[in-house]
Amino acid sequence: MAERGPTLAGRLRGCRREGPGEGLSRRDTVRAEKPQDILTSPSCWQHAVLLNRFNYSFELEKDLHFKGYHTLLQGSLPYYPKSLKCYLSRRPHRIPSERHQIGNLKKYYLLNAASLLPVLALELRDGEKVLDLCAAPGGKSIALLQCACPGYLHCNEYDSLRLRWLRQTLESFIPEPLENVIKVSELDGREMGDAQPEKFDKVLVDAPCSNDRSWLFSSDSQKAACRISQRRKLPVLQIELLR
Ligand SMILES: C[S@@+](CC[C@H](N)C(=O)[O-])C[C@H]1O[C@@H](n2cnc3c(N)ncnc32)[C@H](O)[C@@H]1O
């Protein structure tokens, strides 16, 4: 029987066990006692570093080990492809994001560690046809491509500004030859079933969410009011996208 590692909840709890004894200063120590502490303390957010296998850097991986990063969830899930390399820091630490440079592939993508869970749940295999229905800014599309080589990946995004962001993400992480198996569209996900009668082996629906956690830190009350009114309509949109 495969040995099971700690659960994600266990790893999240793990962040509050850090203490000065492990090389942290008192200021750095994470003081999350309850789940809501994790939501309200950005230092507890699980910033993960997803390595880009299309521009793998041994030096970067070595450096992450040196900085105390550890691999995420490896050995604790039935599906965890070897090609997926994701690292997490045990203490509050964030490495800077890389600048977009035309013609240069990025070495890593920063994401919330929990974002990988739906990607892993999809259990993507080589050659499968997959649809990422709400794809911008593209984190999960990138993560999918670290797991396997799909025969076809369709990335859709309804918001035109965010679509540009999605295109830029794909350009930054995916080598040109792979672009042939990727299609990007700007459709309303609710109408995709009729507009794109192709068949997919798997569909990822990362429906728009309230993003309440980030709004806890916003000081823009006007935007927040607008957000609250949009938030009321969210459940309906989410259900329509899932249908
Ligand atoms: C949670 S975000 C997706 C994050 C993305 N999967 C990632 O990992 O980077 C939800 C996305 O759904 C898009 N969206 C909202 N309404 C949509 C619709 N009707 N059809 C398709 N996408 C929609 C939003 O613009 C937003 O970019």
Side-chain angles (χ1 to χ4, degrees), residues 12-33 37-38 40-46 89-93:
L12 285 171
R13 276 196 303 276
C15 85
R16 73 176 179 242
R17 275 186 231 118
E18 300 290 341
E22 285 164 272
L24 297 178
S25 70
R26 269 200 99 70
R27 225 175 113 247
D28 283 340
T29 306
V30 181
R31 295 195 174 280
E33 297 300 334
D37 293 341
I38 291 175
T40 53
S41 166
S43 62
C44 287
W45 298 1
Q46 302 287 295
S89 174
R90 286 206 166 84
R91 54 182 167 174
H93 182 260

Side-chain angles (χ1 to χ4, degrees), residues 109 111 115 118-119 132-143 156-163 165-166 169 185-192 204-211 234 237-238 240-241:
Y109 186 89
L111 76 171
S115 298
V119 172
D132 187 353
L133 191 72
C134 307
K140 292 188 186 67
S141 303
I142 295 305
N156 180 66
E157 169 58 49
Y158 194 31
D159 180 310
S160 52
L161 272 179
R162 290 177 65 89
L163 182 81
W165 192 4
L166 168 67
T169 306
S185 63
E186 189 183 350
L187 297 165
D188 184 342
R190 291 169 290 188
E191 287 159 17
M192 270 202 80
L204 177 67
V205 183
D206 190 13
C209 57
S210 57
N211 211 4
L234 263 180
L237 173 61
Q238 288 166 340
E240 286 173 351
L241 283 166

